């Protein structure tokens, strides 16, 4: 009776704390600094007199206000226990080391995912072409193969794993950088992400101190969850998360005392590799790595601290000598600018929870799920009555930390797509916790435990049915215009373009036929790739060069390289977020003074362009 009353008051307190956190949301509204206002006058944040750090502070208050309520509840009931401050890795509560496994089930699930990959048909909507985004890696590849450099001739906004690795692998594997071949690399990366998730799910499941049937139960639940999160149809868990999955896998090995030396080596080396792979995911990886180093120190594992510090240093040193001093400096400049300014360039204010802002429902759901993950972490990892093993507690604490910081993806660019991607690790956390708690619940209830084989068989049937449903209803098996992976890689570029796109690129190719390169200042960043000309300088993605300082760099490169011709959109002063006239005001002022119109390109069914020439 006493526990019921306590739980009731806890629930009421948590609800009140969420209401208070919601009311405080819009109260956090600090203005941007004067230098930000001057430098990024067209930023969405500046236009709303909004400092980008407001997003982070609002988010922290919303998540941690209910969490603080739960912490006070644990303290008041003398249940708070901090596992990271115990003797740690030598605890007897460690997961039992055993060789129990079910390789047949593992390979069966792998086979299901492999068949889904092979038989998935890619519905091709002719004319659905996004030169704005696709050009980020297509043109980066064009520049790489022409100049034989990386960051020196391409300003990278996402990361080398996306903008360089995709076209390089396409060329290495297919001896071509066609659109289909580049897309195929991305699709394969998606499949590889699924396999990594399945591998981790298997290790996580079969390292638990449970009966083999319950381990299989956890693995099947996780396999279903992974398919839902990382399938090809409506992906939440994108391939760019791979470095963070690597972190979780080797963290799991380390806390379970399996290949500790190898785990420290991989975690240390990936400090550098993760940033090269993706700037945002690299930042998340290194924050999680910093948390891990703190964990080592408070557990007095000084030898491991020195080892991982050495591996981090070695990783960055190898990268420096591999690319050379000049390329490394360009990488540092590029990365520093993106880290310091990306919010001012791309930022969209996160919707207020429980409001009527655009995409507020997804924002509210994401925030509530993060609160739920935080409460579950406290309940099962910081409650001394928790039955979770020490290894599970430590792992879930790290997984929550990773989920919490990775939602910065949804805070920085708060549209539906980015908020959805930012919630991936929170959903993965909840899937893992659900599977484990269901297994423990079944273990405690004998009548359910007797039916575990039936439950596992039903889960196998459900997994097969789910994959089959997606293949037939979403994958396009019944669609005669769809292509499986074998046929997909044979498609020509024209298969992806509308007739007006084909005419546009043909016209531009003729216009710049005698030029060694093209200086493209339009929203279609794929133009250099499409006409087989590298970008004259590294700024080929105008959306990323907002701000006074980087516009000066752009102008200086025009002067240094003596750029003679520049392609701009005819109606470059149109309204909207991509208004070049306002966003790139210093550049266009320079162009008006130093360049004149050479030719206007008007073609029925295509965008209109202007070619400027140096006066």
């Amino acid at each position: 009776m006493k526990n019921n009353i306590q739980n009731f008051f806890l629930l009421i307190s948590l609800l009140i704390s969420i209401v208070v956190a919601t009311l405080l949301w819009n109260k956090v509204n600090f203005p941007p600094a004067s230098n930000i206002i001057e430098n990024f006058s067209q930023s969405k944040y500046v236009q709303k007199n909004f400092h980008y750090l407001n997003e982070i502070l609002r988010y922290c208050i919303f998540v941690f206000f209910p969490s603080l309520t739960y912490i006070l509840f644990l303290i008041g009931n003398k249940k708070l226990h901090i596992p990271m401050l115990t003797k740690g890795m030598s605890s007897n509560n460690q997961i039992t080391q055993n060789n129990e496994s079910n390789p047949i089930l593992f390979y069966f699930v792998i086979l299901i995912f492999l068949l889904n990959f092979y038989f998935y048909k890619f519905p091709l909507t002719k004319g659905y072409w996004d030169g704005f985004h696709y050009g980020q890696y297509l043109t980066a590849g064009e520049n790489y193969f022409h100049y034989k450099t990386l960051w020196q001739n391409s300003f990278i906004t996402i990361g080398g794993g996306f903008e360089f690795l995709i076209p390089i692998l396409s060329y290495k594997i297919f001896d071509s950088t066609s659109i289909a071949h580049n897309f195929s690399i991305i699709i394969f990366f998606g499949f590889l992400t699924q396999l990594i998730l399945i591998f981790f799910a298997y290790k996580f499941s079969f390292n638990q101190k449970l009966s083999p049937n319950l381990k299989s139960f956890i693995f099947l639940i996780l396999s279903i969850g992974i398919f839902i999160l990382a399938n090809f149809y409506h992906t939440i868990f994108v391939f760019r998360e791979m470095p963070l999955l690597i972190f979780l896998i080797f963290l799991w090995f380390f806390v379970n005392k399996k290949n500790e030396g190898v785990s420290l080596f991989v975690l240390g080396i990936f400090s550098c590799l993760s940033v090269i792979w993706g700037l945002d995911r690299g930042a998340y990886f290194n924050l999680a790595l910093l948390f891990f180093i703190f964990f080592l120190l408070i557990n007095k594992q000084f030898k491991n601290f020195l080892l991982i510090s050495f591996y981090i240093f070695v990783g960055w040193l190898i990268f420096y000598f591999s690319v050379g001093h000049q390329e490394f400096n360009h990488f540092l400049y590029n990365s520093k600018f993106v880290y310091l300014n990306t919010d001012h360039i791309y930022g969209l204010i996160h919707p207020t929870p429980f409001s009527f802002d655009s995409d507020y429902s997804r924002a509210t759901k994401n925030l509530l799920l993060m609160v739920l993950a935080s409460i579950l972490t406290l309940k099962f990892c910081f409650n001394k009555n928790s039955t979770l093993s020490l290894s599970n507690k430590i792992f879930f604490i790290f997984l929550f930390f990773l989920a919490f910081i990775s939602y910065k993806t949804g805070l920085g660019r708060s549209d539906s797509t980015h908020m959805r991607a930012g919630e991936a690790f929170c959903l993965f956390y909840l899937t893992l916790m659900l599977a484990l708690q269901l297994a423990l619940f079944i273990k405690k209830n004998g009548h359910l435990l007797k039916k575990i084989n039936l439950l596992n068989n039903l889960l196998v049937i459900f997994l097969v049915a789910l994959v089959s449903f997606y293949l037939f209803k979403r994958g396009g098996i019944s669609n005669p215009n769809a292509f499986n992976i074998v046929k997909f890689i044979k498609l020509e570029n024209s298969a992806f373009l509308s007739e007006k796109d084909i005419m546009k690129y043909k016209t531009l190719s003729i216009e710049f036929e005698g030029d060694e390169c093209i200086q493209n200042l339009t929203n279609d960043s794929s133009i250099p790739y499409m006409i087989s000309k590298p970008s004259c300088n590294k700024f080929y993605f105008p959306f990323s060069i907002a701000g006074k300082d980087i516009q000066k760099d752009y102008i200086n490169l025009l002067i240094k390289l003596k750029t003679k011709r520049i392609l701009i959109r005819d109606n470059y002063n149109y309204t909207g977020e991509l208004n070049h006239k306002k966003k790139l005001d210093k550049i266009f002022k320079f162009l008006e003074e130093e360049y004149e119109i050479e030719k206007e390109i008007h073609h029925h069914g295509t965008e209109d362009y202007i070619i400027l020439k140096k006066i």
Side-chain angles (χ1 to χ4, degrees):
M1 183 66 179
K2 181 180 178 181
N3 287 337
N4 290 336
I5 294 174
Q6 286 180 342
N7 291 333
F8 174 76
F9 279 108
L10 173 62
L11 178 60
I12 296 299
S13 299
L14 290 173
L15 292 175
I16 292 174
S17 67
I18 291 173
V19 171
V20 173
T22 302
L23 294 175
L24 290 174
W25 185 275
N26 288 322
K27 300 297 182 183
V28 179
N29 195 16
F30 301 105
S34 57
N35 64 310
I36 298 300
I37 295 174
E38 181 182 357
N39 199 18
F40 296 96
S41 59
Q42 296 304 308
S43 165
K44 295 292 184 181
Y45 289 157
V46 171
Q47 291 175 357
K48 295 290 181 67
N49 197 33
F50 185 87
H51 199 292
Y52 78 97
L53 290 178
N54 290 331
E55 301 278 38
I56 298 174
L57 187 55
R58 288 175 170 185
Y59 173 59
C60 290
I61 290 174
F62 192 92
V63 175
F64 288 128
F65 206 80
S67 303
L68 179 60
T69 302
Y70 197 90
I71 290 172
L72 293 175
F73 168 79
L74 292 176
I75 293 174
N77 289 276
K78 299 180 180 179
K79 294 181 178 179
L80 183 66
H81 174 73
I82 303 177
M84 293 178 68
L85 297 179
T86 64
K87 291 183 179 180
M89 311 311 294
S90 62
S91 170
N92 292 327
N93 201 23
Q94 187 72 25
I95 288 180
T96 301
Q97 303 295 323
N98 58 65
N99 296 319
E100 292 178 350
S101 61
N102 191 342
I104 295 177
L105 180 62
F106 173 73
Y107 289 119
F108 172 77
V109 171
I110 291 292
L111 179 62
I112 292 293
F113 277 76
L114 180 62
L115 292 174
N116 175 64
F117 171 67
Y118 181 79
F119 288 107
Y120 169 60
K121 288 193 173 182
F122 306 91
L124 183 64
T125 304
K126 188 175 177 62
Y128 179 72
W129 174 248
D130 183 2
F132 177 78
H133 289 99
Y134 299 156
Q136 287 183 271
Y137 59 89
L138 291 172
T139 296
E142 189 72 28
N143 287 350
Y144 169 77
F145 291 116
H146 181 84
Y147 296 113
K148 306 302 180 185
T149 62
L150 298 167
W151 292 271
Q152 187 174 342
N153 287 99
S154 292
F155 188 79
I156 299 303
T157 56
I158 296 178
F162 182 77
E163 282 145 296
F164 291 133
L165 187 59
I166 290 172
I168 290 174
L169 285 179
S170 173
Y171 184 79
K172 294 291 184 181
I173 296 172
F174 302 107
D175 197 28
S176 162
T177 58
S178 72
I179 296 171
H181 291 156
N182 278 278
F183 280 5
S184 297
I185 299 298
I186 295 175
I187 294 164
F188 177 75
F189 277 167
F191 177 58
L192 182 59
T193 303
Q194 295 173 8
L195 295 184
I196 294 173
L197 282 165
I198 291 296
F199 172 78
F200 169 74
Y202 183 74
K203 291 296 181 182
F204 176 85
S205 304
F206 285 89
N207 269 48
Q208 300 299 327
K209 192 177 180 181
L210 296 168
S211 67
N213 286 339
L214 282 174
K215 294 179 181 182
S216 298
F217 174 83
I218 295 175
F219 179 59
L220 287 168
I221 291 287
L222 294 182
S223 298
I224 293 170
I226 288 167
F227 182 81
I228 293 172
L229 292 175
N231 63 66
F232 299 115
Y233 315 92
H234 198 46
T235 307
I236 298 175
F237 222 106
V238 296
F239 73 88
R240 289 170 58 194
E241 313 290 1
M242 278 197 279
L244 304 182
L245 290 178
I246 297 297
F247 176 86
L248 291 177
I249 289 172
F250 286 95
L251 170 70
W252 178 255
F253 286 157
F254 182 84
V255 298
N256 284 283
K257 289 190 170 294
K258 291 187 174 183
N259 302 315
E260 290 178 87
V262 174
S263 298
L264 290 171
F265 173 77
V266 173
L267 291 173
I269 292 296
F270 261 81
S271 170
C272 173
L273 291 179
S274 63
V275 178
I276 298 171
W277 173 267
L279 293 174
D280 51 356
R281 272 58 174 189
Y284 304 152
F285 184 99
N286 279 278
L287 282 173
L289 188 61
L290 188 63
F291 186 29
F292 178 72
I293 290 172
F294 174 71
F295 166 80
L296 293 178
L297 289 175
I298 64 175
N299 281 275
K300 300 181 180 179
Q301 298 193 20
F302 300 117
K303 178 182 177 181
N304 288 335
F305 164 74
L306 292 175
L307 275 175
I308 197 168
S309 300
F310 174 73
Y311 295 143
I312 291 171
F313 174 76
V314 168
W316 284 99
L317 193 65
I318 291 174
F319 174 55
Y320 173 81
F321 284 111
S322 297
V323 300
H325 178 74
Q326 188 175 16
E327 193 74 80
F328 185 77
N329 282 343
H330 282 282
F331 162 78
L332 290 181
Y333 171 81
N334 189 152
S335 303
K336 178 183 176 182
F337 180 86
V338 172
Y339 282 136
L340 293 178
N341 300 293
T342 187
D343 287 303
H344 305 303
I345 298 173
Y346 304 121
L348 295 174
I349 296 177
H350 192 279
T352 302
F354 304 104
S355 68
F356 293 99
D357 296 344
S358 177
D359 290 323
Y360 82 93
S361 59
R362 181 178 295 280
T364 304
K365 181 201 71 175
N366 287 356
L367 292 172
L368 290 177
L369 288 176
M370 196 64 70
V371 169
L372 176 61
S374 177
I375 298 300
L376 291 177
T377 303
L378 292 170
K379 177 178 175 60
F380 294 111
C381 301
F382 290 91
N383 189 336
K384 68 179 182 180
N385 295 334
S386 172
T387 58
L388 285 188
S389 68
L390 179 61
S391 294
N392 277 328
K393 288 179 180 179
I394 293 171
F395 176 78
F396 276 110
I397 290 170
F398 274 94
L399 179 53
F400 170 74
F401 179 79
L402 195 57
F404 180 78
I405 62 174
S406 64
Y407 191 62
K408 178 63 175 66
T409 299
L411 292 175
R413 179 74 179 173
S414 300
D415 55 20
S416 180
T417 301
H418 289 85
M419 285 192 292
R420 191 168 182 271
E423 196 68 5
F425 276 95
C426 182
L427 294 173
F428 187 52
Y429 173 100
L430 294 174
T431 303
L432 282 171
M433 185 64 81
L434 173 66
L436 184 56
Q437 292 302 320
L438 282 175
L440 294 175
F441 178 77
I442 292 172
K443 180 183 178 182
K444 292 180 181 179
N445 293 269
H447 65 286
L448 291 175
L449 189 58
K450 292 178 181 178
K451 299 179 181 179
I452 188 62
N453 287 330
L454 174 62
L455 290 174
N456 286 342
N457 290 335
L458 290 175
L459 287 174
V460 169
I461 293 172
F462 181 79
L463 175 61
V464 173
L466 180 66
V467 174
S468 300
F469 171 80
Y470 272 93
L471 280 173
F472 282 94
K473 295 297 182 179
R474 301 287 296 276
I477 280 186
S478 57
N479 183 353
N481 296 320
F483 299 84
N484 65 19
I485 188 65
V486 176
K487 294 181 179 179
F488 184 83
I489 62 177
K490 299 178 181 179
L491 294 175
E492 300 291 336
N493 284 355
S494 58
F496 299 87
L497 308 176
S498 66
E499 292 301 322
K500 72 173 186 176
D501 285 327
I502 293 174
M503 287 190 292
K504 176 180 76 173
Y505 294 127
K506 183 177 180 180
T507 300
L508 292 175
S509 180
I510 293 173
E511 291 295 339
F512 288 89
E513 184 176 5
D515 294 31
E516 292 184 2
C517 59
I518 177 173
Q519 189 57 39
N520 177 37
L521 195 58
T522 76
N523 292 326
D524 187 348
S525 57
S526 70
I527 288 176
Y529 165 82
M530 284 296 185
I531 67 172
S532 300
K533 302 280 184 182
S535 173
C536 292
N537 70 45
K538 62 182 179 180
F539 297 112
Y540 57 86
F541 190 59
F543 195 53
S544 68
I545 57 177
K548 307 294 183 184
D549 295 336
I550 201 166
Q551 288 186 66
K552 291 179 183 178
D553 292 342
Y554 184 95
I555 293 169
N556 290 336
L557 280 176
L558 292 181
I559 296 172
K560 178 182 178 181
L561 300 173
K562 299 179 181 180
T563 304
K564 296 180 180 179
R565 306 172 83 205
I566 301 174
L567 180 70
I568 65 173
R569 181 171 167 172
D570 185 11
N571 183 19
Y572 55 81
N573 196 28
Y574 57 93
T575 59
E577 188 179 6
L578 301 178
N579 186 317
H580 288 170
K581 179 71 172 180
K582 292 182 179 179
K583 194 171 184 179
L584 309 178
D585 54 336
K586 294 184 72 67
I587 291 176
F588 273 87
K589 182 180 180 181
F590 175 81
L591 295 180
E592 289 170 358
E593 295 173 352
E594 301 292 332
Y595 289 79
E596 63 182 6
I597 296 177
E598 176 186 13
K599 185 174 184 178
E600 297 182 5
I601 301 175
H602 302 285
H603 200 291
H604 178 68
T606 69
E607 293 183 69
D608 295 331
Y609 293 99
I610 294 175
I611 298 177
L612 301 178
K613 69 175 182 178
K614 188 77 170 66
I615 297 175

